[in-house]
Amino acid sequence: MRTPLALLTAASLTLLVAACSKPASAPEVSADTATPAAAGEPSDHEKAELLASLPAPYNTGDLENGKRKFAMCRSCHTINQGGPNMTGPNLYGVFGRKAGSVEGFAYSDAVKAAGFTWDADHLNNWLADPRGFMPGTKMSFMGLKEPKDRIDVIAYLKVETGYKPE
Ligand code: HEC
């Protein structure tokens, strides 16, 4: 009886060791990742972390509502890295970018002469009333009148367009 028991113990020890010796560098698969992120794109978990790190009030942004409201922009804008310009320019990397500076997009003179760099405040004013904020722009969009919708869209854009907190 001694030998089989000893063998059994040895066998289970081997199993234990095998179970523990998975490479430590194996990528962590977090259980809260609802949709698998495409290569190089932040996971939902990373997006939630980025959202929480945004300055107020954007840290309270509702990404789902932001995404729903952004549907109004999608007919004219792509937001993915390397996405094409359509009626409007691609918006990837818009935060920290000089207004009117996407390569190959034919901006209005108004946007070309704007001279500012896009940040949340500029975007907030722009989205409330593009033509009121910048007379002469060719972005024909009636504006997002609800302040909370603008917060949500800006938060959504921050997490989706490669924004890096300072
Ligand atoms: C009908 C098409 C259309 C819709 C809808 C639209 N845009 Fe635009 N957008 C444009 C055009 C055209 C421009 C370039 C404006 C110009 O040159 O005067 C622009 C410019 C911009 C810019 C400035 C980009 C830069 O590189 O300086 C931002 C930011 C922007 N849009 C965000 C949005 C957001 C967010 C929404 C939705 C809430 C939206 N747009 C809806 C057509 C549109």
Side-chain angles (χ1 to χ4, degrees):
M1 285 307 280
R2 285 185 85 106
T3 321
L5 186 65
L7 271 177
L8 213 73
T9 313
S12 35
L13 266 177
T14 313
L15 270 177
L16 262 176
V17 171
C20 293
S21 61
K22 271 189 284 176
S25 62
E28 241 183 57
V29 183
S30 55
D32 58 349
T33 304
T35 36
E41 277 185 19
S43 64
D44 286 356
H45 180 70
E46 286 165 325
K47 287 176 188 174
E49 271 180 359
L50 177 55
L51 177 70
S53 77
L54 297 180
Y58 301 103
N59 55 349
T60 65
D62 174 348
L63 297 182
E64 278 307 311
N65 185 48
K67 185 179 183 174
R68 267 197 307 277
K69 292 298 177 307
F70 190 78
M72 293 189 264
C73 327
R74 239 176 244 286
S75 55
C76 296
H77 291 285
T78 59
I79 50 172
N80 57 313
Q81 188 165 21
N85 296 328
M86 301 199 294
T87 305
N90 171 257
L91 294 179
Y92 188 86
V94 67
F95 293 96
R97 189 166 80 197
K98 206 166 163 285
S101 63
V102 169
E103 199 68 34
F105 184 81
Y107 290 95
S108 64
D109 292 340
V111 169
K112 276 192 278 193
F116 62 74
T117 295
W118 285 112
D119 57 16
D121 280 350
H122 281 102
L123 216 68
N124 185 41
N125 293 327
W126 168 257
L127 294 181
D129 180 9
R131 290 196 155 140
F133 175 65
M134 205 184 291
T137 178
K138 59 179 187 179
M139 171 156 139
S140 43
F141 177 67
M142 73 292 213
L144 276 175
K145 298 303 172 203
E146 207 38 67
K148 176 63 174 141
D149 287 343
R150 296 199 297 275
I151 291 172
D152 294 347
V153 165
I154 290 168
Y156 173 73
L157 280 176
K158 285 211 175 194
V159 304
E160 295 294 333
T161 63
Y163 168 80
K164 301 265 187 302
E166 293 92 51

